[in-house]
Amino acid sequence: MAIRKVIIAGNWKMHKTSAETRSYIKELSAVLDGVNPDSEILAAPPFTSLAVAVEEAKGTRIGIAGQNLHWEDKGAFTGEISGPMLRELGCSHVIIGHSERRQYFGETDEKVNLKIAAAMNHSLIPIFCLGESLDERESGKTFDVVKRQLLGGIGDLRPLEPKNFVIAYEPVWAIGTGRTATPEQAQEVHAFLRKELSLLLGKDFANSVRILYGGSIKPDNASTLVSCEDIDGGLIGGASLKVQDFFGIIKEGI
Ligand code: PEP
């Protein structure tokens, strides 16, 4: 770990109203005083809570991320939200290609690629998620699957700046299941991704880009994961919903 700046990001999924968001961000920013200022802390509330989250996070070290975006800037896409909308609200990052989007909303590598392009066009830093299912792991396809997702998501997008690009390795079998990848399992995939990135985009990019791990991170397993050489932080779902748990991860993970 930590030739690269650590990121600890909370993915709230479909949780928290605006009022709940306001009190969460207040509480989190209060406890963050005095914690290693070198790390980046992000929260990704649902769309309806983003404005309140940005307002409460102003002047704190908490950055706010969207959980998804459409690849077009505007148009007849009922229910969708675009890059310019997220940017105008004050989001700095956007999660793209989360396994729940891939599984329940038909998000393919091609759509992920379009969404990453849209994020970059609007100065939003993509948090590009990828990871294998349990079946794929058990049938020995992990590396093929993550390579396909990595190449498909990045496609022809160039140039990519490592400081404005984040990858999250999230094995699907570890998301929300309580079954965390062992540090060895996670490190192995992170090192593989870095090697593939080096072939694709060069050594400098591969050595500088942050690759987060996600999948049932808790305060008691965060430090062993984040201390692995190629793991630069975490994307946290369930355990980001309570300030105490998220803060516990932040303290352990940096
Ligand atoms: C996630 O949704 O990105 C995630 C990692 O969830 P959890 O921490 O609940 O496994």
Side-chain angles (χ1 to χ4, degrees):
M1 194 259 309
I3 46 168
R4 296 163 289 267
K5 194 171 181 182
V6 166
I7 299 176
I8 306 286
N11 171 18
W12 296 5
K13 313 192 187 203
M14 197 171 70
H15 293 284
K16 295 195 190 298
T17 63
S18 293
E20 289 164 344
T21 299
R22 194 179 289 286
S23 57
Y24 179 105
I25 300 287
K26 263 197 183 118
E27 202 186 324
L28 179 62
S29 59
V31 293
L32 280 178
D33 280 349
V35 173
N36 179 358
D38 292 336
S39 58
E40 286 179 38
I41 312 294
L42 299 173
F47 290 135
T48 48
S49 295
L50 284 174
V52 160
V54 168
E55 190 186 312
E56 278 306 323
K58 208 165 270 166
T60 78
R61 54 186 293 202
I62 306 167
I64 302 299
Q67 295 179 16
N68 180 33
L69 85 175
H70 195 276
W71 55 86
E72 295 289 349
D73 290 357
K74 59 185 169 184
F77 302 104
T78 302
E80 293 291 320
I81 302 285
S82 72
M85 295 169 185
L86 292 178
R87 191 65 206 160
E88 186 197 42
L89 276 179
C91 291
S92 53
H93 293 67
V94 57
I95 297 172
I96 296 176
H98 190 279
S99 66
E100 288 150 17
R101 300 290 321 166
R102 294 179 189 258
Q103 189 177 348
Y104 304 128
F105 301 100
E107 210 150 286
T108 58
D109 294 332
E110 194 187 13
K111 286 180 182 157
V112 168
N113 173 260
L114 292 170
K115 289 179 179 208
I116 293 174
M120 287 170 28
N121 276 339
H122 297 288
S123 305
L124 290 160
I125 299 177
I127 302 175
F128 166 27
C129 302
L130 45 79
E132 81 288 0
S133 68
L134 186 58
D135 266 7
E136 289 162 343
R137 174 160 283 265
E138 287 180 342
S139 54
K141 295 191 191 126
T142 297
F143 295 117
D144 291 343
V145 169
V146 297
K147 182 174 176 177
R148 190 207 73 222
Q149 292 172 328
L150 183 74
L151 299 185
I154 291 178
D156 293 333
L157 300 174
R158 303 288 185 283
L160 294 183
E161 285 182 73
K163 69 176 186 348
N164 293 330
F165 201 82
V166 178
I167 294 170
Y169 168 57
E170 298 208 305
V172 180
W173 48 272
I175 296 181
T177 59
R179 188 176 161 186
T180 319
T182 63
E184 294 73 25
Q185 285 173 320
Q187 166 58 27
E188 188 183 29
V189 178
H190 282 237
F192 173 80
L193 291 169
R194 228 178 269 288
K195 190 190 80 193
E196 290 300 323
L197 286 165
S198 179
L199 296 173
L200 189 67
L201 299 165
K203 247 192 179 141
D204 285 351
F205 183 92
N207 288 336
S208 316
V209 74
R210 269 82 56 85
I211 308 181
L212 314 184
Y213 167 79
S216 297
I217 297 186
K218 306 272 183 294
D220 61 4
N221 60 24
S223 73
T224 49
L225 285 159
V226 178
S227 60
C228 293
E229 192 181 340
D230 288 297
I231 301 183
D232 309 311
L235 180 56
I236 295 113
S240 71
L241 294 175
K242 285 194 186 138
V243 170
Q244 214 183 355
D245 294 341
F246 191 53
F247 183 58
I249 292 169
I250 292 169
K251 279 193 303 185
E252 289 303 318
I254 56 186

